[in-house]
Amino acid sequence: MTGNKKNIVLIPTYNERENIEAIIRAVMALEGDFHILVIDDGSPDGTAEIVKNMQNEFSERLHILERKGKLGLGTAYITGFKWALDKGYGYIFEMDADFSHNPKDLVRMAEQIRKQKTGMVIGSRYVTGVNVVNWPMSRIIMSYYASVYVRMVTRMPVRDATAGFVCYSDELLRTINLDKIQMKGYGFQIEMKYTAWRLGFPVTEIPIIFTDRTLGTSKMSSSIFGEAFWGVIKLRFRKIRHNNG
């Protein structure tokens, strides 16, 4: 489906025992030979043990990195990016463990990144209106207008700047200096999109339907939104350079 480039889906976890086996099986059942890397931040509920037991079944396609403690969403993904690049993966996906992102949409995202060959593809909640299920109206409004705020401040033409369902090409990730990415929470998602756009890579949105989790506990907090709010203002005035390493 994507030429000779291999696909890997990065799934950061903290206390996702209710979801992790089902999401792994859903991804493994897709056409396109998707591999998975779980980055677990010391889940006390046994999430990592479930993944390691499943490695016996999916030995070549299922991988796990275990970290000690909750170190932040952004650092989890950057750790995963570096691991995936080192292992030679060509297309690297971000996806939540809780089925808020439909695994079947990975196939459409893979097809799009193959067509454009490089850059970023975003599974967007807002590119064709508001495609969110089971969120309270207050949260929809907060999320939607957060993306409006990002567009106003940065002038970046992305409708869903805080989206966490994303595919990157290896070329893009190698061009970004990952050690210079500053935001740790959901602001990380904004910073990565802005950096890709400023570096001149294609950033494409395709519509998805986002469905709020039915099992487990959300990791959202007010501090996450605070970091994103102030971080976006700083982004607007930051110099973005290619990674020379």
Side-chain angles (χ1 to χ4, degrees):
M1 177 176 297
T2 51
N4 295 323
K5 291 194 172 186
K6 297 185 294 181
N7 304 312
I8 190 160
V9 182
L10 309 186
I11 304 178
T13 55
Y14 182 78
N15 286 351
E16 291 288 356
R17 66 171 297 116
E18 297 98 335
N19 295 301
I20 192 62
E21 179 174 353
I23 198 74
I24 288 171
R25 292 193 182 281
V27 173
M28 292 301 184
L30 297 172
E31 294 183 2
D33 193 30
F34 289 90
H35 294 202
I36 295 174
L37 173 65
V38 174
I39 306 106
D40 186 71
D41 272 7
S43 298
D45 71 345
T47 297
E49 284 69 24
I50 294 172
V51 176
K52 286 186 282 189
N53 287 335
M54 294 184 72
Q55 285 183 303
N56 296 323
E57 184 177 352
F58 302 108
S59 58
E60 300 298 321
R61 297 172 60 198
L62 178 59
H63 312 276
I64 183 168
L65 294 176
E66 295 181 81
R67 308 197 304 169
K68 295 182 179 180
K70 296 179 70 174
L71 302 176
L73 181 74
T75 66
Y77 275 130
I78 288 172
T79 297
F81 292 156
K82 291 179 176 179
W83 184 95
L85 291 173
D86 184 61
K87 300 296 183 183
Y89 286 94
Y91 297 124
I92 297 102
F93 298 76
E94 298 177 354
M95 190 175 73
D96 291 347
D98 60 8
F99 284 94
S100 55
H101 304 138
N102 186 338
K104 293 180 180 179
D105 288 326
L106 290 168
V107 177
R108 293 195 297 123
M109 294 170 73
E111 290 172 348
Q112 178 61 42
I113 197 74
R114 177 180 58 82
K115 289 176 183 176
Q116 67 188 48
K117 296 182 180 179
T118 189
M120 172 188 290
V121 175
I122 302 165
S124 177
R125 297 164 292 186
Y126 305 129
V127 72
T128 56
V130 178
N131 295 324
V132 177
V133 177
N134 292 340
W135 263 8
M137 184 57 66
S138 59
R139 190 167 173 185
I140 292 174
I141 291 170
M142 180 182 295
S143 173
Y144 179 82
Y145 282 103
S147 285
V148 172
Y149 166 73
V150 172
R151 289 201 306 277
M152 289 176 60
V153 173
T154 66
R155 301 176 186 174
M156 176 175 62
V158 171
R159 305 292 299 183
D160 193 354
T162 61
F165 198 17
V166 183
C167 176
Y168 303 84
S169 70
D170 58 339
E171 181 184 348
L172 169 57
L173 290 179
R174 292 185 193 280
T175 303
I176 294 174
N177 187 336
L178 296 173
D179 293 326
K180 295 293 186 181
I181 299 297
Q182 297 180 10
M183 286 192 267
K184 300 293 190 292
Y186 281 79
F188 163 83
Q189 303 291 7
I190 301 169
E191 187 172 356
M192 289 295 293
K193 295 175 183 66
Y194 181 74
T195 302
W197 174 65
R198 283 288 304 275
L199 289 173
F201 282 85
V203 177
T204 303
E205 293 181 271
I206 65 171
I208 63 152
I209 297 175
F210 178 97
T211 305
D212 195 21
R213 68 163 65 233
T214 57
L215 297 172
T217 304
S218 173
K219 313 304 187 295
M220 297 293 285
S221 70
S222 58
S223 63
I224 286 173
F225 283 103
E227 179 204 45
F229 180 86
W230 296 111
V232 167
I233 296 174
K234 294 177 182 178
L235 267 183
R236 179 68 177 84
F237 301 100
R238 188 186 305 170
K239 292 183 178 179
I240 306 294
R241 296 186 175 92
H242 286 66
N243 181 23
N244 295 319

